[in-house]
Amino acid sequence: MKTIFWKIHLNANPKRVFDLLTTPEGRESFWAESAEENNGIIHFVFPNGETYDSEILKISPNAEFHIVYFDSLVKFNIEPTKNGGSDLSLINKGVTKTEYNEVHAGWVSVLMNLKAVADFNCDLRNHDSKRTWESGYVNN
């Protein structure tokens, strides 16, 4: 098993970043086509039709959000910066060696779209089930 670690600086304040990660509307604006939550479980639906039920493990307002995601542990940690923005770190533990390259790249896609939405209110995805990663599109 391997661990993925990424950081991204956002101009958005920690509350905005936290809300994007922890609300259905927020997650749907940058991450998944649908991400409804019920009893501590997020039901993710992705453009290619894949789904996953993700358990919420920890929520600390404006600071931390931890979930089980595709049978691995994902921790989002948000730190305020002096300019009023945020530094977000993502730690994904328990990624299999065979899935590491795809998951590693996948998080770059998710985090960059988070930045586009958080800082510029712009969704970079195409929302087309025929134009997904499996078809070679980076903006699924």
Side-chain angles (χ1 to χ4, degrees), residues 98-126:
T98 58
E99 294 181 337
Y100 180 83
N101 287 337
E102 181 179 348
V103 175
H104 193 256
W107 282 122
V108 172
S109 177
V110 171
L111 292 173
M112 292 306 293
N113 201 46
L114 170 62
K115 182 171 182 63
V117 170
D119 290 356
F120 305 104
N121 205 27
C122 175
D123 184 355
L124 301 175
R125 300 170 297 166
N126 64 46

Side-chain angles (χ1 to χ4, degrees), residues 24-128:
E25 300 80 17
R27 291 185 294 264
E28 292 166 9
S29 73
F30 78 95
W31 191 347
E33 294 301 300
S34 174
E36 291 298 320
E37 183 180 326
N38 190 12
N39 295 322
I41 303 294
I42 303 166
H43 181 69
F44 284 100
V45 178
F46 298 98
N48 64 359
E50 188 171 6
T51 64
Y52 187 79
D53 288 334
S54 184
E55 180 184 1
I56 298 171
L57 301 174
K58 183 176 183 179
I59 297 178
S60 297
N62 305 327
E64 292 180 285
F65 182 59
H66 302 181
I67 60 174
V68 175
Y69 190 69
F70 289 94
D71 301 318
S72 65
L73 171 62
V74 176
K75 297 179 179 182
F76 294 97
N77 298 309
I78 307 164
E79 293 184 26
T81 59
K82 291 180 183 177
N83 69 350
S86 307
D87 280 339
L88 175 70
S89 61
L90 173 139
I91 302 166
N92 189 182
K93 294 182 178 183
V95 178
T96 64
K97 290 179 183 179
T98 58
E99 294 181 337
Y100 180 83
N101 287 337
E102 181 179 348
V103 175
H104 193 256
W107 282 122
V108 172
S109 177
V110 171
L111 292 173
M112 292 306 293
N113 201 46
L114 170 62
K115 182 171 182 63
V117 170
D119 290 356
F120 305 104
N121 205 27
C122 175
D123 184 355
L124 301 175
R125 300 170 297 166
N126 64 46
H127 301 280
D128 186 338

